[in-house]
Amino acid sequence: MNVQRSEISPGPPWVIVAGGFHRHGGMDAANAALASYLAERGTPVHLVGHLFDEQLLKNPALTAYRVARPLGSDLLGHRSLERRGWAVANRILRSNSETRVVVNGGNCNFSDINWAHAVHRAWAVSDEGAPVSFRIKHRLEKYLNRQRERRAFTSARVILANSNRTRDEIIRLGVPPNRVHTVYLGAEPRWRAIDDRVRAAARDSFRIALDRPAIAFIGALGHDRNKGFDTLWQAWQKLSAIVNWDVDLLVAGGGRALDSWRQRVSDAGLGQRVHLLGHIATVSQVLAAADLLVSPVRYEAYGLNVHEALCCGVPAIVTATAGIAERFPATLQDWLIPNPNDVEDLVRRLLLWRTSRASWKEHVRPLMHELRARSWEQMAAEIVAIVSDAPSSKVACA
């Protein structure tokens, strides 16, 4: 039964410090969902971040504090975000000592609630072949992120992990297990099985025939190789040498290496078979056109793009160590990649899918219904329940 607004106790204010609050990214979408849930209950919510969904901010219970990110750099914007987060949190705490403060990983070292969307200590650098300047900057960022997150995790009273894998990695840092809680992400109401009309429109927009199989890859094409497109590309070249391989590849993602990948695709003579789409604000159209999502990630704390695909009834092949893989039943273990660097193994799995494409679409249905049954609101309610049982913080950590 739905609870009427008058029956809900709004409770003390919350402060959430995050990079963004919008529906176009994994952790940003989760932060936006929590903020929206609290605000709908009438709870005063103070959001400190770089990017905001303007529609979200129309709720009068929400107050936004925008923080600049010079040159679009997370590294340059980190200190400003942390300082503003401290300032806002301490000001609201002075007016109400029961205020709850949520930070993400090492973005702000405040000793209350930490929502861990990734663990840099477990996230290895993967930038072979990148320019030297990028590799130096990348390693500096990784070092600083690891130092910040260790301090933040060890000082937090409550840690929310987006998967059991993330929880285990945090505990390995020396955090007591009773402080770390797994809270799986939720699903958008619009993530629904794709009907023929939507599929046809998506196919038409990408100029792909309705009867031609298509595979999607969603991820940035930067100098960082973590998303595993290099593995998929090597597998695709091998598959394209097979006479009866009749599949198109849709690649959604921008990045500094996009132009060089376009040149590689052209040089290989696969420009008609591999569609490099660049950055796309929403991936729903790509998924609507796809018969399969492939995500050979080297590290993924969860994997919201895979989650969305499954909710839409699109089968997905993903690395077995990704957090989302925990939610795959035993019947779908062939969809999990043991080693994201093993090109031959990926080739074999893609050939298996091609020969039994119709059955894969049927096999995904139980998982589709299970994932869709858990909404963002249910996720947020679980977080509020966990937090309500924990003591609040009165001071920030330096």
Side-chain angles (χ1 to χ4, degrees):
M1 181 177 68
N2 292 330
V3 179
Q4 299 299 315
R5 176 65 63 85
S6 61
E7 298 174 351
I8 298 175
S9 174
W14 284 53
V15 177
I16 307 176
V17 183
F21 300 87
H22 54 80
R23 300 298 193 187
H24 304 313
M27 66 180 71
D28 297 332
N31 284 308
L34 175 60
S36 178
Y37 174 83
L38 291 166
E40 287 299 320
R41 291 163 53 93
T43 300
V45 187
H46 301 263
L47 308 179
V48 184
H50 300 302
L51 299 172
F52 298 87
D53 182 340
E54 296 304 323
Q55 188 66 32
L56 174 70
L57 298 184
K58 290 182 179 180
N59 190 305
L62 293 171
T63 303
Y65 305 82
R66 298 179 189 273
V67 179
R69 187 169 53 183
L71 303 176
S73 168
D74 290 332
L75 180 62
L76 296 177
H78 169 81
R79 189 56 179 163
S80 297
L81 182 67
E82 184 168 40
R83 285 176 174 170
R84 192 69 180 277
W86 284 343
V88 171
N90 281 312
R91 178 172 61 81
I92 305 302
L93 269 167
R94 283 194 294 271
S95 63
N96 189 326
S97 63
E98 299 303 314
T99 296
R100 304 315 304 244
V101 180
V102 181
V103 301
N104 288 181
N107 74 347
C108 183
N109 188 16
F110 204 99
S111 59
D112 194 12
I113 307 155
N114 196 307
W115 196 357
H117 298 283
V119 179
H120 287 278
R121 183 65 59 179
W123 185 347
V125 170
S126 181
D127 57 8
E128 293 81 356
V132 173
S133 58
F134 175 86
R135 297 176 71 180
I136 292 172
K137 174 178 173 290
H138 196 199
R139 282 160 172 73
L140 174 61
E141 282 187 304
K142 182 64 69 176
Y143 172 78
L144 293 174
N145 285 331
R146 287 173 174 172
Q147 298 303 310
R148 290 166 182 154
E149 74 177 9
R150 178 179 285 277
R151 291 194 298 269
F153 288 154
T154 54
S155 70
R157 283 168 167 75
V158 177
I159 299 178
L160 309 170
N162 57 12
S163 66
N164 287 327
R165 181 196 177 184
T166 299
R167 180 177 186 270
D168 291 343
E169 288 161 350
I170 293 169
I171 292 171
R172 290 191 192 102
L173 293 174
V175 178
N178 63 348
R179 293 189 195 174
V180 192
H181 307 263
T182 298
V183 180
Y184 286 126
L185 302 184
E188 294 273 3
R190 59 184 172 83
W191 295 350
R192 290 289 182 264
I194 299 159
D195 61 32
D196 292 341
R197 180 187 59 82
V198 172
R199 175 181 168 83
R203 286 298 184 102
D204 183 63
S205 69
F206 298 125
R207 299 181 181 178
I208 299 175
L210 276 173
D211 60 349
R212 188 172 180 83
I215 289 174
F217 171 90
I218 298 169
L221 298 180
H223 296 310
D224 185 341
R225 298 166 57 241
N226 181 63
K227 293 298 184 182
F229 182 68
D230 56 312
T231 300
L232 177 56
W233 171 245
Q234 292 177 65
W236 203 264
Q237 288 179 294
K238 290 179 178 292
L239 290 164
S240 297
I242 301 173
V243 174
N244 61 350
W245 181 251
D246 59 347
V247 186
D248 278 2
L249 177 61
L250 296 170
V251 182
R256 294 178 180 178
L258 178 58
D259 288 341
S260 64
W261 277 114
R262 282 178 170 150
Q263 188 61 53
R264 291 191 210 184
V265 170
S266 177
D267 291 345
L270 294 175
Q272 299 300 313
R273 304 278 299 277
V274 178
H275 308 263
L276 296 176
L277 308 174
H279 173 73
I280 293 181
T282 59
V283 302
S284 57
Q285 188 177 22
V286 178
L287 293 176
D291 300 295
L292 176 73
L293 176 71
V294 179
S295 182
V297 291
R298 294 181 170 87
Y299 173 82
E300 191 77 272
Y302 188 71
L304 197 59
N305 61 334
V306 176
H307 186 133
E308 181 175 348
L310 296 170
C311 284
C312 294
V314 179
I317 292 177
V318 63
T319 307
T321 55
I324 185 67
E326 298 170 10
R327 308 189 73 175
F328 280 57
T331 54
L332 302 183
Q333 292 306 294
D334 279 344
W335 299 14
L336 302 180
I337 305 168
N339 179 1
N341 298 311
D342 191 337
V343 174
E344 295 298 337
D345 178 73
L346 182 55
V347 167
R348 181 183 67 80
R349 291 174 194 277
L350 291 176
L351 287 172
L352 176 64
W353 162 78
R354 182 61 190 92
T355 59
S356 53
R357 181 163 57 115
S359 66
W360 280 47
K361 194 168 183 64
E362 289 302 315
H363 291 327
V364 77
R365 290 186 181 279
L367 182 56
M368 175 186 73
H369 292 301
E370 178 184 336
L371 295 179
R372 278 167 42 182
R374 178 177 172 80
S375 66
W376 283 119
E377 289 76 16
Q378 288 171 302
M379 175 207 71
E382 185 177 341
I383 289 173
V384 171
I386 291 169
V387 169
S388 66
D389 291 335
S392 60
S393 176
K394 301 299 185 287
V395 294
C397 293

